[in-house]
Amino acid sequence: MELIQDTPDLAAYLAAGDAIDHEHPVVRRTVAMLSADAPDAYAYAEAAFTFVRDAIPHSVDSGDPRVTWRASDVLEKRTGICYAKSHALVALLRARGIPAALCYQKFEAVHGLIALKLPGRERWVRQDARGGEAGAGAQFRLDREQLAFAVRPEFNEVDYPVLFAEPHPAVLQCLRDAVDRPRLAQLLPTAL
């Protein structure tokens, strides 16, 4: 599948925003911690991926009722669903100057993941930091994708090819409108 930037300007994939608040002190402290053992962009990207996948439980798996949507909140509260965890990972990457995008898959509901473009690489590579039991198979890979879930076209599942510089409006709206995770489950978009 060919991945398509929603904007041709690569700088958009380095920008901060409401959800991708990579200038926040919590994000900056996390970047400093992860950078200590990561001498280059490749090592840092893998460290950031592993941290978000393993140190921030997916709220469905953990039973945490809180809903987070800003990267800083995800890192501070250590909880989030796939969308929120993706916001955190994108913020950690962008804070180190690594272009990162948000992208999605469609199953029963839309699933969030990211794509990154490392120095010296021509193409974007998707990564899925969902983690937890359901996403246990997701690994940081640059040679091929190893996501939490593979789409099955025969069940109308879809890999959306668009790389978004900002969270998709439907995703951001459901996160902002949910007062808790049970309500969030009712608001999840089923398509983009």
Side-chain angles (χ1 to χ4, degrees):
M1 174 179 65
E2 182 181 346
L3 299 174
I4 305 161
Q5 293 178 209
D6 75 334
T7 177
D9 184 5
L10 196 59
Y13 298 97
L14 292 167
D18 287 342
I20 314 299
D21 58 343
H22 66 69
E23 295 168 352
H24 192 281
V26 171
V27 178
R28 292 297 180 174
R29 280 194 301 273
T30 306
V31 169
M33 183 224 11
L34 294 170
S35 294
D37 295 323
D40 60 32
Y42 293 83
Y44 176 81
E46 184 170 10
F49 168 86
T50 302
F51 176 79
V52 172
R53 184 193 63 194
D54 298 348
I56 300 171
H58 190 285
S59 59
V60 171
D61 297 338
S62 67
D64 193 322
R66 297 174 296 170
V67 176
T68 54
W69 60 274
R70 281 188 185 93
S72 58
D73 291 338
V74 175
L75 296 171
E76 185 172 41
K77 296 177 181 177
R78 297 285 174 103
T79 191
I81 66 166
C82 60
Y83 310 140
K85 290 180 65 150
S86 293
H87 298 171
L89 181 53
V90 165
L92 291 172
L93 294 168
R94 289 182 183 183
R96 266 294 293 266
I98 300 169
L102 297 152
C103 45
Y104 304 93
Q105 296 173 304
K106 176 194 170 293
F107 298 101
E108 287 183 22
V110 173
H111 173 61
L113 30 123
I114 72 114
L116 58 94
K117 191 169 189 178
L118 286 164
R121 295 236 171 197
E122 297 261 339
R123 65 182 187 91
W124 290 88
V125 180
R126 294 190 308 167
Q127 306 290 336
D128 190 346
R130 187 218 186 271
E133 221 173 285
Q139 299 295 319
F140 184 84
R141 306 272 319 232
L142 299 176
D143 58 335
R144 64 179 175 83
E145 291 184 344
Q146 191 166 341
L147 307 176
F149 310 108
V151 299
R152 300 167 300 175
E154 66 271 20
F155 293 104
N156 294 320
E157 296 173 352
V158 176
D159 272 319
Y160 292 111
V162 178
L163 301 175
F164 294 93
E166 290 292 323
H168 189 279
V171 166
L172 198 52
Q173 191 66 48
C174 81
L175 290 171
R176 286 180 167 168
D177 289 350
V179 294
D180 58 23
R181 195 179 37 76
R183 178 68 179 136
L184 177 61
Q186 299 170 345
L187 298 173
L188 294 174
T190 57
L192 297 182

